[in-house]
């Protein structure tokens, strides 16, 4: 069955970016001249996703406005003859079919995904965390969808991290007794540990914000008790899912930026600007002239 729908959890408070996020969603903070969440939605669309489901909360109206039509702005641009900017603005509202779900309480990533159960139905689906911006030749979520079609099991995106950083992530453990899949980037998961204590991680393969999940995960989420931080952890549900179905980790190709932290957001802003043909030359010259 094709993966047609993607869930975008976007209900968090964004406290790391206060006071900038006091009155605007962190997902709408710009990376160069495009909000963080638009990078994620464009990645999904490029991978063939047809329906975008954004899980929001109060004070997130700006996200809905961004992906909606803006008749006044389009009329103004048309009158000014700014056809290229008009094309870009219309492109945003034409990206995909977008639905919104209100998460009234922030009870964790697992709870946010569970909110989308009725809209997903009985089909596999993607989960994309907008904070994780992944840039590469192939859409990251597209790589996971391809792996899902190969394995017919849930797939999580993983990347190698230094051992001292594993306590910040969900980390997978693999079973050396299981024959490795043909794709060297693909690992059958035997264990998932959320934010393991330093020195106790089962590997250095950390899960980042891209998942392709079977609908069976909803049953597991409904049975999952609150875990770390008093939240319903998606990793706990995935661990339970492995009792019935295979789960795989995929070492994706591409560069991941953690735009949910100030330093990650700054790095992403600089490196994405340097990749822009219209900005790169002047910006690189400016950086080279800084007295660092």
């Amino acid at each position: 069955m094709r993966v047609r729908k993607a869930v975008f959890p976007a209900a968090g408070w964004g406290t790391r970016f206060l006071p900038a996020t006091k009155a605007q969603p962190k997902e709408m903070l710009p990376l160069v001249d495009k909000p963080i969440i638009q990078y994620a939605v464009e990645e999904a669309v490029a991978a063939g996703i047809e329906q975008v489901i954004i899980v929001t909360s109060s004070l997130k109206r700006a996200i809905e406005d961004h992906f909606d039509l803006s008749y006044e702005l389009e009329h103004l641009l048309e009158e000014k003859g700014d056809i290229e900017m008009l094309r870009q603005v219309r492109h945003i509202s034409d990206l995909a079919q977008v639905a919104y779900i209100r998460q009234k309480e922030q009870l964790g990533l697992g709870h946010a995904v569970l909110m989308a159960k009725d809209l997903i139905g009985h089909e596999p689906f993607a989960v994309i965390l907008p904070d994780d911006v992944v840039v590469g030749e192939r859409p990251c979520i597209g790589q996971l969808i391809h792996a899902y079609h190969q394995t017919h099991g849930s797939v999580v995106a993983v990347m190698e991290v230094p051992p001292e950083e594993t306590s910040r992530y969900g980390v997978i453990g693999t079973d050396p007794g299981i024959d490795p899949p043909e794709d060297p980037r693909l690992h059958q998961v035997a264990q998932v540990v959320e934010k393991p204590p330093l020195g106790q991680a089962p590997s250095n393969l950390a899960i980042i914000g891209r998942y392709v999940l079977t609908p069976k995960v909803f049953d597991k989420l409904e049975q999952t008790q609150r875990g770390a931080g008093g939240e319903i952890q998606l990793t706990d549900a995935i661990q339970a899912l492995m009792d019935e179905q295979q789960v795989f980790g995929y070492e994706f190709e591409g560069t991941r930026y953690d735009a949910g932290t100030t330093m990650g957001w700054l790095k992403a802003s600089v490196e994405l600007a340097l990749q822009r043909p219209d900005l790169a030359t002047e910006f690189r010259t400016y950086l080279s002239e800084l007295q660092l």
Side-chain angles (χ1 to χ4, degrees), residues 259-284:
T261 66
T262 306
M263 184 54 67
W265 178 82
L266 287 169
K267 290 178 180 178
S269 298
V270 170
E271 295 188 30
L272 289 172
L274 289 172
Q275 294 174 28
R276 284 272 297 266
D278 58 329
L279 299 173
T281 301
E282 183 178 353
F283 190 44
R284 185 172 283 105

Side-chain angles (χ1 to χ4, degrees), residues 106-250:
Q106 279 66 66
L107 299 178
L109 176 57
H111 182 258
V113 173
L114 183 58
M115 297 290 296
K117 178 182 177 180
D118 290 342
L119 285 179
I120 295 297
H122 301 285
E123 58 185 279
F125 64 102
V127 176
I128 300 178
L129 307 191
D131 285 357
D132 279 327
V133 177
V134 184
V135 179
E137 293 185 6
R138 295 190 297 153
C140 180
I141 198 63
Q143 297 174 49
L144 268 63
I145 291 171
H146 179 71
Y148 166 79
H149 287 306
Q150 287 181 311
T151 62
H152 305 290
S154 296
V155 185
V156 299
V158 296
M159 59 180 279
E160 289 189 356
V161 299
E164 62 271 18
E165 294 185 14
T166 52
S167 59
R168 297 173 46 210
Y169 298 90
V171 179
I172 68 167
T174 58
D175 188 340
I178 299 175
D179 291 335
E182 292 182 7
D183 187 338
R185 291 182 174 272
L186 196 60
H187 307 272
Q188 185 162 340
V189 180
Q191 182 185 16
V192 181
V193 182
E194 179 66 24
K195 297 180 179 177
L198 195 63
Q200 297 183 30
S203 76
N204 68 335
L205 290 174
I207 300 172
I208 67 110
R210 300 290 186 276
Y211 310 76
V212 173
L213 302 171
T214 64
K216 186 69 177 177
V217 77
F218 290 124
D219 296 338
K220 302 306 178 185
L221 284 168
E222 289 175 332
Q223 299 162 13
T224 299
Q225 301 298 313
R226 296 190 188 188
E231 298 180 338
I232 297 174
Q233 299 293 340
L234 181 58
T235 47
D236 290 342
I238 292 172
Q239 178 69 49
L241 183 65
M242 287 190 292
D243 292 337
E244 299 181 34
Q245 298 178 350
Q246 291 181 322
V247 174
F248 297 87
Y250 190 81

Side-chain angles (χ1 to χ4, degrees), residues 48-66:
I49 294 295
E50 297 171 2
Q51 183 175 13
V52 167
I53 301 166
I54 301 178
V55 181
T56 65
S57 61
S58 60
L59 302 180
K60 300 282 184 168
R61 178 63 186 270
I63 297 176
E64 299 181 29
D65 290 343
H66 182 69

